[in-house]
Amino acid sequence: MLDEQLLDDESGLIAADPSGSLRALAGAGAQVRMAMQATAEAGINRIVADGRPRAVVVASLGGSAVVGDVLTLLAGAGAPVPVSVRRGMPLPGWVGPLDMVVAVSMSGRAPGPLGLAAEAARRGCRLLTVGQARSPLAEVAERTGGVHVPVPPAQNAAARASRMALWALAVPVVRVAFELGLTDASTQVLERVADRLDAQADLFRPSSEAFVNPAKSLALELSGSVPVVLGDGDVTGVAGARAVSMLARTARVPAMRGALPDDAGDVVATFDGPLAARPDDIFADPEFDDPVGTRLRLLLLRDAAPTPDRPDGSWLETSRTADAVKMTAEDAGVRVTEVSAEPGHPLERLAGLVALTDFAAVYMALAGGIDPLTSPHVADLRDRTH
């Protein structure tokens, strides 16, 4: 269980966070602005001047994997060219000089993106790389006529972690995609994203008490449970995937995720499994009378409704399914936390949801006595696989 007193102790939270994870998340808006500037200075005209490629392949994995999800989300089903994501070698055989490969790695040394970038260069593809300056990934791009966008220098240990630098990694890819006509995420949209992230950072700040801080409240609600994170559409599906990753890597909490409508059956099937509440007393309140032991908690992410990218018909269909899943959970005695996105461009809506779950994951770690940044078991795994 979490130390609730620590959650309301600003100085205690800061002392428990020597790597600066909260500070790194609070700088998300600044990440957007610095990444926009770095992209402009990198000379992306070299790879966008020839117009749209035949296809775009994004190479990203680990903490950077969400970049591919973001681009796929923004391009959507109506993208003028195919957009696909690869986590590792090999590069598909059909990829050639008419295509663009985007390789993303915070350190610039991840074998998957690095190998795909090198192979893309050998095949004569247009190449965009994002990562540390003067890294092997940067050298591949610079040596072969590609464009490398460097991430800003890290201000603390947490800022060097790819999962804490989502916007520094994603914004260059979004900017290039806009210039190629693959998305409508313009400079103005990115500026609004930065503003929203600033507002969220202020709302979720360590000095804000739990009863008025949605991120701290969410951390308390998820404490001691196995979260089932369900998104009701494309935006919330990406947000759910990000939430599950942050809960695992940052708070050390395993979680299941899904997106509607496809995963409704898989999610509700867990409601009569071994981790479901199933109180015997018909008067039992699942919020206060849950049986001893770890139980499911449904975290239902709801998109703003309706929006231009989600017309009435599409929104109503997924909204009805989400309502049905929620009612099924409540009937089964499964606790439900519901979060709704604020209106705006899909990237703005995603940013708001991601900020909430990112901060909640860090607060869960700190109040649980865990270093959000460093996992000894991840370090062991890295040593054993290199």
Side-chain angles (χ1 to χ4, degrees):
M1 302 300 293
L2 303 190
D3 183 345
E4 295 188 35
Q5 290 186 328
L6 179 61
L7 279 180
D8 285 335
D9 180 357
E10 179 184 8
S11 60
L13 284 170
I14 294 172
D17 185 24
S19 61
S21 295
L22 288 172
R23 182 181 175 188
L25 293 181
Q31 280 185 37
V32 173
R33 298 184 184 95
M34 288 189 289
M36 291 170 65
Q37 181 178 353
T39 305
E41 293 173 352
I44 60 174
N45 285 339
R46 298 202 305 274
I47 56 172
V48 303
D50 292 335
R52 290 175 186 161
R54 180 181 61 179
V56 176
V57 178
V58 182
S60 60
L61 75 165
S64 306
V66 69
V67 175
D69 298 335
V70 169
L71 181 59
T72 303
L73 165 68
L74 295 179
V81 302
V83 177
S84 61
V85 178
R86 294 287 296 177
R87 305 303 189 200
M89 295 291 283
L91 195 63
W94 55 263
V95 176
L98 298 178
D99 306 306
M100 174 179 286
V101 172
V102 179
V104 181
S105 166
M106 183 69 178
S107 67
R109 292 176 170 80
L114 183 58
L116 287 169
E119 179 61 23
R122 284 193 291 270
R123 297 189 193 182
C125 303
R126 277 188 262 179
L127 180 62
L128 169 68
T129 60
V130 183
Q132 292 287 348
R134 296 181 294 279
S135 64
L137 188 63
E139 292 176 6
V140 169
E142 292 161 0
R143 187 176 66 247
T144 59
V147 171
H148 180 76
V149 180
V151 294
Q155 300 300 312
N156 55 35
R160 290 193 290 271
S162 57
R163 66 182 182 277
M164 299 293 182
L166 163 60
W167 301 103
L169 297 171
V171 167
V173 180
V174 172
R175 283 291 300 127
V176 170
F178 174 76
E179 294 297 332
L180 292 170
L182 304 183
T183 80
D184 64 350
S186 63
T187 299
Q188 291 75 22
V189 168
L190 289 172
E191 289 171 348
R192 296 200 302 270
V193 168
D195 291 341
R196 182 165 298 197
L197 290 168
D198 286 343
Q200 297 292 78
D202 182 62
L203 180 62
F204 306 147
R205 64 190 183 277
S207 61
S208 174
E209 295 181 331
F211 71 94
V212 294
N213 185 322
K216 291 182 179 180
S217 297
L218 180 58
L220 289 170
E221 291 179 14
L222 296 180
S223 172
S225 72
V226 176
V228 179
V229 186
L230 182 64
D232 70 349
D234 293 338
V235 170
T236 51
V238 174
R242 166 70 176 189
V244 166
S245 176
M246 285 294 286
L247 286 169
R249 289 297 300 272
T250 304
R252 317 296 194 265
V253 173
M256 171 184 175
R257 69 175 174 89
L260 295 178
D262 290 352
D263 299 323
D266 290 347
V267 168
V268 300
T270 66
F271 297 165
D272 56 11
L275 298 182
R278 295 191 298 176
D280 295 325
D281 183 356
I282 62 172
F283 299 105
D285 185 335
E287 286 295 331
F288 301 103
D289 302 323
D290 202 23
V292 175
T294 302
R295 297 297 176 187
L296 296 179
R297 161 80 69 167
L298 175 64
L299 174 56
L300 186 56
L301 303 180
R302 307 291 292 261
D303 204 350
T307 56
D309 59 298
R310 294 190 78 199
D312 288 352
S314 170
W315 175 78
L316 285 171
E317 178 184 356
T318 56
S319 182
R320 289 193 191 102
T321 306
D323 289 340
V325 171
K326 179 182 177 182
M327 288 188 290
T328 303
E330 291 171 341
D331 289 347
V334 174
R335 298 177 180 181
V336 180
T337 296
E338 191 170 0
V339 176
S340 296
E342 294 295 323
H345 186 276
L347 196 58
E348 293 177 80
R349 305 196 314 261
L350 177 66
L353 293 172
V354 165
L356 171 63
T357 53
D358 279 4
F359 270 94
V362 170
Y363 282 131
M364 288 179 72
L366 297 177
I370 294 170
D371 179 353
L373 188 63
T374 305
S375 165
H377 295 104
V378 171
D380 288 346
L381 177 64
R382 188 177 298 114
D383 290 342
R384 289 165 178 160
T385 55
H386 282 77

